[in-house]
């Protein structure tokens, strides 16, 4: 809200520099976000929090200035002398819960024209556009007293009656802005004998509006229930300076002064005769009172304020108090609708006393271990392992484009098609919650590729959301990643399929997490390359997949590179975490020496190295400490459709030194059984 | 005797000419081998008159010692030369690069998140989590933000249904934790939050860290103590901190916490809009209404809560001027952290 310093001075004698005023107000809770010089005046940009509707006016800000500087507030005289008897206008209120008070005055024989310069200037400085003298005066009062008023052309009100009632079915109105509006059933309207003439507290109707030819007006000053105004304003997507104030709460008592002051201004500027007030006020306002112990306040603030100091602070901001020994009673003014409970008083005392005057101390809290919890530690381990394999971390929005699911061509019953949709997305591309991280990984890859980066290793740890038919979806933590390298331009070249770079990185991750029982089996994911993909199992349980994107997907994302190897992977981190060993247990370092034997076998190409490895491990498991594949060879002088695998086998006994002879016997029988099993032969 | 002299002389000539170990070996055999020149001289001793033998014998030995010494010296020298030659031939261009896979980089947001978690963890705060898709009840109602409350305007909400939203802040975790655990408790709840807003300084998703401390006799003083310690740990011991009244529906009194502008040291600049201060987090004493809704007795317990935006803190720490950089995931950006 824009507040003119010169206008403030009508209410309080400010001597301080504008910057000092801004600093004091900010530290008292009325944040000054900007200071601007306008034609010799200073305009403050004030950020009024939703709990302080009383500050949405010059008067309200002036009260805060007075309290902050200990100055006296000057209020204008709003008594109307020389008024003529009440008019024949009557006011009916249908539901006093929605309209708790409605006052009005008929003013006859006015001349509508341009406002005087000083009014125009003040409106403009506050960001409002002058219209005509009547509209300007109501706006002026809205700014000055914070109370919205509305002026009807009295001659356009049929039946000399004002009725405040809900819209009901099929009500329509053309508002001041020229829009034809269908009104929600619950919305509160102002009616004359024929139909609606205004949307209460939000905007007047065009039909009853004041124009330059208006002679008589009916001036309204009312109290509308905040929740009702807010709901209607939201439903109609129609907000005004008026609705903004009504929905935050206005002063039900002071509204009469606002009515009177504007009537007086109208008489001064437009001439005319003011009729006596029409005041329909079904249930009078009952002042609030709050009881609170002095000690409670000091306990909550950590201060040592004396009783009298507290009362003095409250009195300064218009809260009357009565001391009652160990506690006191506070009577907040009507305009402070935000003060209802003891905690509200605690806040008032704290902010006027000054937050910076409250001492800082370290709490005497119960001792806590202060260790990062297990989940956090494990997540950090995963991040570290990925980083060590050269993957950089990305963070993406949790959204997904419906088209992403088509690119992946997921089967009809796939869980990842059970998406949560956002009702009001910013863009169609962000209208679903992610059920997989793969689309984000592809997008990150494409972005970097299009910016000339040719070696891309990225990962993300984030939640995915699956609709399981419950009120809230299932949220699971996933690790997603993508690997792409266009060509190896380093001088020490590694020529291997990208699949194995990614696989190696994941193996390093599992190794770091001390996960055993790992196996890679051909993947069932349709968006992956049939021959270059794997589902990842831990002790037989599927925890994710990895593999090259299928040529179909590569085609759909419009990549121009020939036969690119783009490897993606995704793991269920929540599931993974349940598979980690709880604790590391030391096992003895071997006491006896080991003996190594190498074996190279030529066999059919379709026999996987993994199956041979498993077979070897299953033979004489007691004495074979480890088996490692150290050579893989195809082509050359080997027959077609065959390959050579070289294994290094380490023999070791736990309880003795194995002799060369023992190992030789063992090894020869192992070699024989491998040859039988694979149908292969030893490589010469 | 003359012959011995000439042996010695010819040895000296030959050894000078020997350039490698093979040549040296030949010379060695020629002079000191079993069938060498000196052995032959020794054998010829028997043909010399007995009275001259001792003198002649010692003359031979003298020449032999002389030759052997020279041979040894010469061998050491040539071996050294040989080694030198081999090393020369094995020389690498050490200016060639080493082979390594550069480590990947952590996303700056996640790094700062970890830093924040470490600080609070060291102060004894537990880390708690809650759902990102949240019930309206936890996101608003239980935090004292009823349906028609103007405070809902402060947050533009993504809706999943009338009762389910993308959480607009991490504050609902407070309520979920209070429903589960009894005081005393001190927790932080880091995570993603969502608001339907996108411009130069807003992204529809961002990160917050919420904090909550509840016990008997927790006061505003404690809030100041804990948050000052936190800010000094994160931004440095000499960072000025100020607490300023503000409003949040779930705390009262509420405080906005500012730090002295780290760009202009409080003199006033574009970043701090000439105020000299930067808003860093929101905080306050837990509103008794929130305690009541979570099932805590506000007569018995008090506490404070706070919340901060991780993007803002990260931007300040690394002088990043565009929030959207965090979500473009450009490796040229990520590589810097």
């Amino acid at each position: 809200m824009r507040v003119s310093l010169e206008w403030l001075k009508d209410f309080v004698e400010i001597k301080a520099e504008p910057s000092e005023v801004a600093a004091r107000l900010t530290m008292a809770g009325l944040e000054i976000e900007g200071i601007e010089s306008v034609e010799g005046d200073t305009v403050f940009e004030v950020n009024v929090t939703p709990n302080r509707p009383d500050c949405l006016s010059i008067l309200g800000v002036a009260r805060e200035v007075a309290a902050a500087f200990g100055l006296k507030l000057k209020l204008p005289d709003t008594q109307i002398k020389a008024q003529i008897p009440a008019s024949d206008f009557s006011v009916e209120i249908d539901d006093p819960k929605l309209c708790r008070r409605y006052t009005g005055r008929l003013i006859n024989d006015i001349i509508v024209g341009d406002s005087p310069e000083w009014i125009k200037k003040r409106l403009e400085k506050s960001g409002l556009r002058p219209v005509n003298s009547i509209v300007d005066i109501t706006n002026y009062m809205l700014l000055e007293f914070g109370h919205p008023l509305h002026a009807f052309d009295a001659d356009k009100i049929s039946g000399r009656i004002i009725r405040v009632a809900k819209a009901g079915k099929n009500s329509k109105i053309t508002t001041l802005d020229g829009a034809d509006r269908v009104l929600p059933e619950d919305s509160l309207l102002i009616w004359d004998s024929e139909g609606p003439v205004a949307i209460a507290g939000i905007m007047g109707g065009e039909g009853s509006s004041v124009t330059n030819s208006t002679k008589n007006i009916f001036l309204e000053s009312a109290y509308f229930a905040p929740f009702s105004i807010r709901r209607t304003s939201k439903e109609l997507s129609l907000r005004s300076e008026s609705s903004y104030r009504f929905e935050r709460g206005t002063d039900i008592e002071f509204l009469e002064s606002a009515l009177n002051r504007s009537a007086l201004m109208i008489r001064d500027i437009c001439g005319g005769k003011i009729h006596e007030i029409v005041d329909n006020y079904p249930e009078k306002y009952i002042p609030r009172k709050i009881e609170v112990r002095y000690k409670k306040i000091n306990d909550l603030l950590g201060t040592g304020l004396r009783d009298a100091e507290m009362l003095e602070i409250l009195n300064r901001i218009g809260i009357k108090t009565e001391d009652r020994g160990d506690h006191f009673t506070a009577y907040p003014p009507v305009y402070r609708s935000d003060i209802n409970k003891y905690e509200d008083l605690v806040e008032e005392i704290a902010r006027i006393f000054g937050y910076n005057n409250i001492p800082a101390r370290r709490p005497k809290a119960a001792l806590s271990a202060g260790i990062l919890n297990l989940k956090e530690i494990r997540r950090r381990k995963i991040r570290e392992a990925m980083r060590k394999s050269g993957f950089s971390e990305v963070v993406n929005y949790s959204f997904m484009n419906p088209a992403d699911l088509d690119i992946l061509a997921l089967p009809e019953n796939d869980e990842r098609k059970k998406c949560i949709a956002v009702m009001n997305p910013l863009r169609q591309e962000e209208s679903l919650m992610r059920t997989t991280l793969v689309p984000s990984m592809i997008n990150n890859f494409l972005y970097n590729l299009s910016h000339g980066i040719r070696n891309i290793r990225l990962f993300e740890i984030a939640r995915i959301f699956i609709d399981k038919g419950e009120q809230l979806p299932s949220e699971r933590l996933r690790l997603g990643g993508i690997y792409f390298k266009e060509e190896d331009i380093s001088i020490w070249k590694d020529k291997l399929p990208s699949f194995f770079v990614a696989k190696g990185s994941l193996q390093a991750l599992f190794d770091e997490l001390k996960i055993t029982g790992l196996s890679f089996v051909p993947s069932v994911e349709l968006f992956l390359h049939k021959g270059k993909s794997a589902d990842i199992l831990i002790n037989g349980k599927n925890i994710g997949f990895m593999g090259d994107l299928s040529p179909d997907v590569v085609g759909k994302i419009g990549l121009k590179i020939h036969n690119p190897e783009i490897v993606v992977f995704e793991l269920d981190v929540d599931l993974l975490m349940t598979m980690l060993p709880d604790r590391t247990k030391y096992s003895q370092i071997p006491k006896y020496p080991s003996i190594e034997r190498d074996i190279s076998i030529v066999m059919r190409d379709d026999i996987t190295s993994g199956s041979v490895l498993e077979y070897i491990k299953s033979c004489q498991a007691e004495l074979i400490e480890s088996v490692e594949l150290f050579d893989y060879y195809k082509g050359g002088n080997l027959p077609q459709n065959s390959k050579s695998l070289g294994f290094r086998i380490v023999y070791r006994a736990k309880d003795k030194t194995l002799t060369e002879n023992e190992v030789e016997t063992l090894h020869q029988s192992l070699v024989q059984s491998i040859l039988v099993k694979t149908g292969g032969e030893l490589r010469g | 005797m003359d012959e011995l002299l000439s042996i010695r002389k010819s040895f000296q000539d030959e050894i000078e000419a020997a350039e490698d170990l093979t040549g040296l070996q030949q010379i060695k055999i020629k002079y000191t081998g079993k069938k060498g020149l000196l052995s032959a001289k020794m054998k010829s001793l028997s043909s010399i008159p007995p009275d001259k033998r001792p003198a002649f014998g010692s003359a031979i030995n003298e020449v032999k010692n002389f030759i052997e010494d020279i041979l040894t010296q010469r061998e050491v020298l040539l071996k050294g030369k040989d080694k030198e030659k081999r090393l020369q031939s094995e020389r690498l261009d050490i200016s060639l690069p080493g082979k390594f896979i550069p480590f990947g980089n952590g996303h700056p947001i996640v790094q700062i998140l970890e830093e924040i978690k470490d600080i609070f963890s060291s102060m004894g705060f537990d880390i708690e989590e809650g759902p990102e898709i949240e019930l309206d009840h936890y996101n608003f109602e239980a935090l004292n933000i009823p349906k028609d409350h103007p405070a809902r305007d402060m947050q533009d909400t993504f809706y999943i249904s009338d009762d389910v939203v993308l959480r607009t802040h991490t504050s609902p975790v407070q309520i979920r934790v209070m429903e589960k655990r009894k005081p005393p408790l001190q927790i932080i709840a880091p995570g993603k939050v969502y608001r339907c807003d996108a411009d130069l300084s807003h992204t529809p998703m961002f990160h917050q860290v919420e904090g909550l401390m509840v016990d008997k006799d927790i006061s505003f003083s404690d809030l100041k103590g804990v948050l000052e310690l936190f800010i000094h740990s994160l931004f440095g011991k000499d960072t000025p901190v100020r607490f300023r009244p503000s409003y949040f529906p779930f705390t009262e009194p509420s405080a906005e916490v500012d730090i002295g502008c780290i760009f202009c040291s409080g003199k006033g600049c574009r970043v701090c809009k000439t105020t000299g201060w930067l808003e860093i987090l929101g905080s306050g004493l837990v509103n008794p209404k929130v305690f009541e809704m979570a099932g805590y007795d506000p007569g018995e317990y008090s506490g404070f809560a706070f919340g901060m935006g991780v993007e803002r803190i990260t931007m300040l720490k690394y002088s990043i001027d565009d929030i959207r950089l965090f979500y473009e995931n450009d490796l040229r950006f990520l590589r810097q952290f």
Side-chain angles (χ1 to χ4, degrees), chain B residues 74-261:
Chain B
R74 204 65 198 175
E75 195 177 347
V76 169
L77 186 80
L78 287 178
K79 269 190 177 159
K81 266 192 179 165
D82 228 36
K83 203 179 194 171
E84 187 57 31
K85 215 161 134 193
R86 186 162 58 88
L87 293 181
Q88 280 290 348
S89 73
E90 288 172 1
R91 177 140 94 189
L92 298 179
D93 174 359
I94 56 158
S95 67
L96 288 174
K99 178 171 175 65
F100 76 112
I101 302 171
F103 281 12
N105 300 68
H107 194 281
I109 292 288
V110 184
Q111 287 192 41
I112 295 294
L113 257 171
E114 291 197 350
E115 209 174 311
I116 294 169
K117 286 186 241 184
D118 285 342
I119 295 171
F120 282 109
S121 186
S122 75
M123 289 196 258
F125 283 69
D126 296 327
I127 299 171
E128 292 276 359
E129 290 186 335
E132 290 174 27
I133 300 184
E134 184 54 285
L135 296 174
D136 184 278
H137 170 78
Y138 286 109
N139 195 73
F140 292 120
E141 303 275 340
L143 288 162
N144 194 30
I145 317 173
K147 277 239 149 65
D148 287 318
H149 198 286
R152 287 212 178 188
D153 284 353
M154 292 162 91
Q155 309 182 348
D156 298 309
T157 312
F158 281 118
Y159 282 90
I160 299 300
S161 69
D162 285 346
D163 307 317
V164 179
V165 301
L166 298 188
R167 66 175 176 194
T168 57
H169 45 191
T170 40
S171 311
V173 184
Q174 276 185 35
I175 309 294
R176 287 183 174 270
V177 171
M178 283 194 277
E179 285 180 351
K180 243 178 16 203
R181 293 169 57 177
K182 290 282 140 222
L185 59 85
Q186 45 200 53
I187 58 141
I188 54 163
K192 290 177 177 151
V193 300
Y194 304 85
R195 293 191 196 166
C196 43
D197 204 354
D199 57 39
L200 275 174
S201 48
H202 297 89
T203 48
M205 184 191 88
F206 55 101
H207 295 75
Q208 277 190 344
V209 177
E210 183 81 7
L212 175 69
M213 181 165 196
V214 184
D215 202 349
K216 290 173 176 159
D217 307 323
I218 292 285
S219 72
F220 198 87
S221 248
D222 299 317
L223 175 156
K224 285 186 70 174
V226 167
L227 292 180
E228 271 183 17
L229 184 60
F230 163 70
I231 286 169
H232 287 157
S233 308
L234 192 66
F235 289 101
K237 265 215 292 290
D238 302 322
T239 312
V241 181
R242 76 172 186 186
F243 293 76
R244 147 172 84 72
S246 186
Y247 169 75
F248 308 106
F250 35 94
T251 52
E252 187 159 19
S254 300
E256 207 75 72
V257 186
D258 300 338
I259 60 169
C261 180

Side-chain angles (χ1 to χ4, degrees), chain A residues 205-240:
Chain A
E206 198 176 48
S208 60
S209 67
V210 175
T211 62
N212 281 357
S213 55
T214 297
K215 294 280 169 283
N216 307 302
I217 60 165
F218 183 76
L219 193 59
E220 162 203 290
S221 182
Y223 183 94
F224 301 115
F227 73 91
S228 161
I229 300 298
R230 180 173 168 75
R231 190 185 301 157
T232 305
S233 152
K234 232 180 143 179
E235 278 171 348
L236 289 172
S237 298
L238 179 61
R239 303 188 60 183
S240 59

Side-chain angles (χ1 to χ4, degrees), chain A residues 230 300 344 355 358-359 361 368 370 373 376 379-380 383 387 392-393 395 398 423-424 448 463 475 492, chain B residues 97 104-105 114 117-118 121 124 127 129-130 132-133 148 157 159 194 220-222 224 252 254 331:
Chain A
R230 180 173 168 75
L300 281 171
D344 304 320
Y355 280 10
I358 297 173
R361 75 167 184 209
S368 177
N373 66 34
E376 176 70 18
R379 190 156 36 189
R380 289 189 186 190
R383 286 185 72 225
R387 294 213 310 106
S392 286
E393 186 174 33
V395 178
S398 305
M423 282 167 76
N424 53 334
N448 280 291
R463 292 186 196 174
E475 300 188 7
W492 316 114
Chain B
N105 300 68
E114 291 197 350
K117 286 186 241 184
D118 285 342
S121 186
I127 299 171
E129 290 186 335
E132 290 174 27
I133 300 184
D148 287 318
T157 312
Y159 282 90
Y194 304 85
F220 198 87
S221 248
D222 299 317
K224 285 186 70 174
E252 187 159 19
S254 300
L331 270 164

Side-chain angles (χ1 to χ4, degrees), chain A residues 590 592-595 617 620-627 649-653:
Chain A
Y592 300 96
S594 63
I595 292 176
K617 278 182 184 164
Q620 293 140 356
E622 273 291 288
L623 296 173
I624 293 177
E625 187 181 72
S626 66
V627 189
I649 300 160
V650 180
Y651 294 92
R652 195 199 301 267

Side-chain angles (χ1 to χ4, degrees), chain A residues 4 17 58 98 111 130 144 151 161 216 241 261 289 321-322 351 369 379 430 448 467 477 495 500 536 544 575 616 626:
Chain A
S4 144
E17 285 296 308
I58 300 293
L98 301 182
I111 297 161
E144 188 177 72
I161 184 170
N216 307 302
E241 289 285 342
R261 178 153 161 82
K289 63 175 184 180
T321 53
E322 278 170 29
R351 74 179 181 93
R379 190 156 36 189
E430 294 170 354
N448 280 291
D467 186 0
L477 200 61
K495 195 64 203 148
F500 293 111
I536 304 165
L575 193 57
I616 298 173
S626 66

